[in-house]
Amino acid sequence: MDTNVLLGTAKMDITPTFPAELQPAHPLRQDAASESVRRLYARVAVFQYTSKRSRPQYAVVVSADIIYFVDQRIDSLRKQLLEQWGIPGEAIVFQGTHTHSAPCPGSRFGEAFDGPYRTFIELLETSIVQGVERAIANLEPVAAERGSGSCGFATNRRKREDGKIVMAPCDEGPTDPEVTVIRFRKRDGREKCVFIHYACHPTTTYDNAFSSEFPGVAVEQVEAALGHDATVFYLQGCCGDIRPAVVRDGRYYAGSNLEVSRYGCELAATVLGVLVSRMEPLRFVPFECRSAQVRLPFLSQPSADELEKHRDKSDGLGTWSRMLLDHPDRNVPYELLWIGYIRLADGLAFLAMNGEVVVEYGLYTKRVFGGKVLPMGYSNGHTTYIPTAAQLKEGGFEAHDVFYASGRPSPYDLSIEQAIKEAIVRLVQQ
């Protein structure tokens, strides 16, 4: 037991009791059932490292059942945690599990457009701040250990057909079946907290209801099996091109709560199997928290004249043109990818990125650092999909369509892959 490291946790219910709109890709219809399929939670873990020679260090992990945190809300949350407890922004990971069946957490166009989502935003942020307060109130010494298993329901969703990339299951495409399990034990040997790290889109169902999706099923089952108020977190990996195998006749279909439960149970069984096996003890170290920004240049920028030519069209080109004309601040030469690095122990660090990062970057991070660094997408804000250079050449949804649908000037330049990989190595080895 390392008495230098204390851990406190909290689990906050963020299921709306008021009308709330699901995130734009999955609108909640007017006739939605009042009862949610799976309740939504924000889970908070606060780590404190104490030393006789320095002030306490903090590291915070927040996992919320939302699609992701939008940029403008991250600034607000960081400010509140800094003012109340002196916790710096680089020491915090705010991650959405990426369920598509949760209320919209804010507009991607900025705070001025948050109005329709304000009630849920206030619930979410208040719950997180209260969760940090509760977690700090129950700090206690813990020991850490890690293990891993494998879960096989995730599929690569980029398939080449007739010379084009379509969204369909691709058996030859890369996936990351590894399930990393981190356990934190209290003095009495019981679990205080468990982290589950896996990489798969929670897009099993598009039912007309709120749902924490298969991650919610998995963590609820593991929490129930452990008992004694253990808090279990789902940490989403790099799954931009990975989704569940809800497949019929070679195509994805919209599953129901049956499929949600099936995959959640499969993941939970894997985790519970790891927890009863021999796990590797981890040695805590003074926390390391730092970040970097990577410039992601766009391939091109349309001129105002070009956009005006397409403004009145009723197709996707017209929609894209109107979005950029209405929001000229988005017609920029580049975006920034924010990468955060938090190291808690020998063999346990988080690499958190604010985009829908495809699985190849996660596999690269694990390979380069021997699995000691857990790659996480959907963290600390949101840009868009982060494809590889090869995918940008191929096209398809993640590398072409989404850029125009979300009002970007164009897809990214092919140089981003090398820039991101170099930035990851520099940040971790700094």
Side-chain angles (χ1 to χ4, degrees), residues 99-393:
T99 174
H100 282 218
S101 301
C104 187
S107 171
R108 66 173 182 265
F109 293 118
E111 190 169 5
F113 301 90
D114 278 345
Y117 320 116
R118 179 62 60 184
T119 306
F120 180 70
I121 289 170
E122 291 177 354
L123 169 63
L124 176 64
E125 292 193 7
T126 299
S127 298
I128 289 172
V129 174
Q130 290 177 348
V132 172
E133 183 176 28
R134 291 186 186 181
I136 290 176
N138 67 67
L139 288 167
E140 58 184 315
V142 291
E145 52 191 348
R146 68 175 289 165
S148 65
S150 182
C151 201
F153 63 77
T155 62
N156 189 288
R157 69 184 194 183
R158 291 175 55 84
K159 186 175 184 179
R160 182 177 293 278
E161 291 185 351
D162 300 324
K164 295 182 179 180
I165 299 296
V166 299
M167 190 176 290
C170 177
D171 294 338
E172 298 77 29
T175 60
D176 183 2
E178 183 178 32
V179 180
T180 301
V181 181
I182 310 295
R183 171 163 54 194
F184 301 94
R185 291 183 184 268
K186 300 184 287 187
R187 288 185 185 275
D188 61 8
R190 296 188 300 178
E191 289 84 1
K192 171 85 171 181
C193 173
V194 172
F195 287 162
I196 303 169
H197 180 270
Y198 187 57
C200 186
H201 256 79
T203 50
T204 311
T205 182
Y206 289 91
D207 282 349
N208 190 36
F210 300 125
S211 175
S212 53
E213 258 275 355
F214 76 79
V217 175
V219 298
E220 288 168 11
Q221 289 210 353
V222 176
E223 285 179 342
L226 297 178
H228 52 259
D229 299 323
T231 306
V232 180
F233 290 63
Y234 179 87
L235 304 182
Q236 186 62 267
C238 296
C239 67
D241 49 358
I242 305 297
R243 64 176 292 175
V246 191
V247 178
R248 182 185 298 130
D249 299 326
R251 286 291 185 267
Y252 295 115
Y253 68 92
S256 65
N257 197 40
L258 177 65
E259 286 87 354
V260 171
S261 296
R262 179 193 309 158
Y263 297 134
C265 290
E266 184 176 338
L267 180 57
T270 298
V271 173
L272 292 171
V274 173
L275 290 172
V276 299
S277 66
R278 181 185 294 273
M279 300 180 71
E280 174 192 0
L282 298 176
R283 182 179 65 87
F284 286 112
V285 296
F287 300 161
E288 296 180 24
C289 306
R290 50 184 178 266
S291 64
Q293 291 182 324
V294 185
R295 185 174 291 193
L296 305 180
F298 291 106
L299 190 61
S300 62
Q301 285 181 266
S303 66
D305 289 343
E306 180 184 350
L307 294 172
E308 287 289 351
K309 290 179 183 178
H310 306 295
R311 175 193 280 274
D312 297 328
K313 292 183 177 179
S314 59
D315 57 8
L317 185 59
T319 301
W320 168 72
S321 299
R322 290 189 294 274
M323 290 175 71
L324 286 179
L325 288 168
D326 293 342
H327 304 281
D329 57 310
R330 297 182 68 80
N331 194 1
V332 293
Y334 64 87
E335 286 184 313
L336 293 174
L337 177 68
W338 189 94
I339 309 176
Y341 175 75
I342 297 177
R343 180 174 180 246
L344 300 180
D346 283 339
L348 178 59
F350 307 112
L351 187 83
M353 295 170 278
N354 67 331
E356 298 214 33
V357 187
V358 298
V359 72
E360 286 85 345
Y361 290 102
L363 294 171
Y364 171 81
T365 301
K366 287 185 173 183
R367 183 172 66 253
V368 171
F369 302 109
K372 295 183 178 181
V373 179
L374 298 181
M376 298 164 60
Y378 313 102
S379 301
N380 302 316
H382 189 259
T383 53
T384 185
Y385 281 85
I386 310 298
T388 64
Q391 290 173 343
L392 286 165
K393 291 179 182 178

Side-chain angles (χ1 to χ4, degrees), residues 33-75:
S34 59
E35 293 296 322
S36 61
V37 174
R38 296 286 174 186
R39 299 195 71 78
L40 310 176
Y41 293 94
R43 292 171 169 86
V44 179
V46 176
F47 296 87
Q48 183 189 79
Y49 182 91
T50 58
S51 170
K52 294 180 180 179
R53 292 174 291 181
S54 61
R55 298 175 60 183
Q57 292 178 283
Y58 288 96
V60 178
V61 177
V62 176
S63 173
D65 291 322
I66 58 174
I67 189 165
Y68 44 66
F69 285 89
V70 294
D71 292 348
Q72 64 269 21
R73 307 319 314 170
I74 290 297
D75 293 338

